[in-house]
Amino acid sequence: MRILSLQSGTSVDGIDVAVVDIDEVDATDRPAVRLTSVLARTVPWSGRTRELLLSAVEGHVLTPADFVRMDTLAGQEFADAAAGAADETGGVELAVSHGQTLHHWVDGGHARGTLQVGQPAWIAERLGVPVLSDVRSADIAAGGEGAPLMGLFDRAWLAGEAAREGRPVATVNLGGIANVQIVEPDGGLIAFDSGPANALIDAAVARATGGLQGQDTDGLLAASGRVEEALLAELLAHPYFTAPVPKSTGRETFDLSVVDAAAERAGVQPDLADLVATLTALTARTVADAVRSSSSRVPSRAIVSGGGTRNPALMRALSAVLGLHGVDVRPSDALGIDADHKESLLFAFIGYLSWHGIPAELPGTPRGRARVLGRLSLTPDAVPGRRLRGVAGLTLAAESAEAVSR
């Protein structure tokens, strides 16, 4: 089955689009599928759409007209990216669009709702195939966290390896928010958001440069700065880091107001390089703490993906902290999975599961309440099964109009 995957991460850098072939393979002990990446790339947002999305992600007030415009423009740009990839690869059978997350509502330590934009009807209209979207809400409605979803992929990918080694294997995704997955030797899974990855670093750089620079390119700022220990201690005191798992978070929790308040309490005003060095240390410390303390045994290794793998300063800091506990840190590229596009493979995998009616078992979901994820947008050519001739030829049988109205 050929599936097209679309998503835009919390950094709003661009649209990750991938085409993935998923095929069943022979396996002796359990059902197995093979994922083959056919195409993977990132398509930049247009300036006006990215500006609207960033305004919403950063909590600015939008009018209903702004929101409709943003949802429509994002949907159209997702559709453009999808159409280019589908044409280039000879067509697809299903598209999965995670969309752009605007807000992940967490209250009382649990997710209550989530909102992604990028109207999928535009994608369905352009491609003429079913489009699966809104892939988190069903799990939240069933009592789960709706995040992180990466554990679905990692359990299928690494459970056999963990069983052979007799030790857990950890994975880390360093997007705007960091999520950690621990695959246990018995097939168990622990998965949760550990806190910020790139979100605070990117926001600090963007604010200091007036938006001219949106990230710590190649980790050069962090490498030239010094960790402000008093500020780091205040940031590590944030209650999220000691909250029990499963848990999920987002940029609505970790924004620059958190950093500014911590700096005020610490009585420091670091320059940009020192601030970025401190925020980089925060990510490394909180991710490492999550990896080493979430299982009864320390994992043998941590496989890292996401944009943060391209930040040498962050990877050095993470390797240094986890290395003290004997955990080998390596990017997923070393195991044949592009660290920049692992999430694209995940969403294609979710599309495959949902299309075949397979519930997604996430660690935060109450036992027995796993749900099939997402909802479908269909065009007439994409409707499965037998179709009627059309509404014009359809007769509604009722005893009387009065009976219908009662």
Side-chain angles (χ1 to χ4, degrees):
M1 184 175 190
R2 179 159 288 186
I3 301 176
L4 185 142
S5 166
L6 295 160
Q7 69 112 13
S8 176
T10 51
S11 298
V12 200
D13 291 332
I15 299 169
D16 291 333
V17 55
V19 175
V20 182
D21 284 339
I22 303 183
D23 304 295
E24 294 184 17
V25 296
D26 292 333
T28 57
D29 53 347
R30 57 176 179 166
V33 295
R34 177 185 294 112
L35 276 66
T36 305
S37 179
V38 180
L39 175 150
R41 63 183 175 222
T42 300
V43 178
W45 288 108
S46 69
R48 62 173 181 167
T49 303
R50 186 169 191 268
E51 183 178 352
L52 276 171
L53 290 170
L54 279 173
S55 293
V57 168
E58 292 169 358
H60 297 172
V61 176
L62 299 181
T63 68
D66 291 333
F67 189 91
V68 171
R69 188 178 304 112
M70 174 181 58
D71 190 37
T72 299
L73 291 173
Q76 291 171 339
E77 293 195 29
F78 275 126
D80 288 343
D87 290 345
E88 191 173 323
T89 56
V92 299
E93 299 168 71
L94 173 71
V96 181
S97 179
H98 174 262
Q100 173 67 60
T101 296
L102 295 190
H103 191 77
H104 195 68
W105 177 28
V106 178
D107 183 37
H110 293 287
R112 306 300 183 187
T114 190
L115 179 62
Q116 288 77 37
V117 295
Q119 178 51 245
W122 292 99
I123 308 167
E125 189 67 27
R126 191 73 178 274
L127 296 183
V129 302
V131 177
L132 188 80
S133 61
D134 194 20
V135 296
R136 299 183 187 272
S137 293
D139 182 65
I140 292 175
E145 295 296 314
L149 296 171
M150 187 59 77
L152 292 171
F153 184 96
D154 290 335
R155 178 168 50 200
W157 177 33
L158 296 169
E161 181 176 330
R164 286 191 297 273
E165 292 185 357
R167 287 185 65 184
V169 178
T171 68
V172 179
N173 186 63
L174 297 174
I177 297 297
N179 49 69
V180 170
Q181 292 72 221
I182 309 292
V183 182
E184 301 280 7
D186 63 358
L189 175 68
I190 302 165
F192 60 97
D193 292 339
S194 61
N198 303 310
L200 292 180
I201 298 169
D202 293 349
V205 174
R207 183 172 68 178
T209 62
L212 296 178
Q213 186 177 338
Q215 62 183 16
D216 181 14
T217 304
D218 296 327
L220 295 178
L221 282 167
S224 65
R226 177 182 60 85
V227 174
E228 178 55 69
E229 295 293 344
L231 173 57
L232 178 59
E234 289 291 343
L235 290 168
L236 288 169
H238 193 288
Y240 182 80
F241 299 127
T242 54
V245 300
K247 57 185 177 179
S248 57
T249 190
R251 289 177 61 151
E252 61 282 346
T253 299
F254 288 102
D255 60 17
L256 288 180
S257 67
V258 171
V259 179
D260 294 341
E264 184 175 350
R265 291 193 302 271
V268 297
Q269 292 184 321
D271 63 21
L272 180 59
D274 289 353
L275 176 58
V276 171
T278 304
L279 296 176
T280 301
L282 173 70
T283 294
R285 281 278 299 275
T286 52
V287 168
D289 286 347
V291 167
R292 67 179 181 80
S293 64
S294 298
S295 175
S296 58
R297 294 192 65 189
V298 176
S300 59
R301 56 177 164 160
I303 303 166
V304 188
S305 61
T309 61
R310 309 314 180 195
N311 182 330
L314 177 55
M315 290 296 286
R316 283 196 300 270
L318 183 60
S319 296
V321 180
L322 281 176
L324 295 174
H325 302 278
V327 181
D328 178 40
V329 177
R330 64 180 65 188
S332 63
D333 304 82
L335 284 81
I337 292 182
D338 187 338
D340 291 325
H341 293 284
K342 187 183 173 196
E343 281 192 306
S344 296
L345 294 176
L346 160 68
F347 291 119
F349 183 55
I350 288 173
Y352 182 86
L353 295 178
S354 294
W355 186 252
H356 289 87
I358 301 171
E361 297 183 13
L362 297 171
T365 309
R367 184 177 297 275
R369 300 195 67 183
R371 297 291 181 258
V372 176
L373 301 182
R375 54 181 173 175
L376 286 171
S377 298
L378 301 169
T379 61
D381 291 338
V383 176
R386 185 172 64 88
R387 297 201 309 273
L388 296 171
R389 290 188 300 274
V391 175
L394 184 63
T395 300
L396 176 63
E399 293 182 3
S400 67
E402 181 182 0
V404 171
S405 67
R406 285 202 297 267

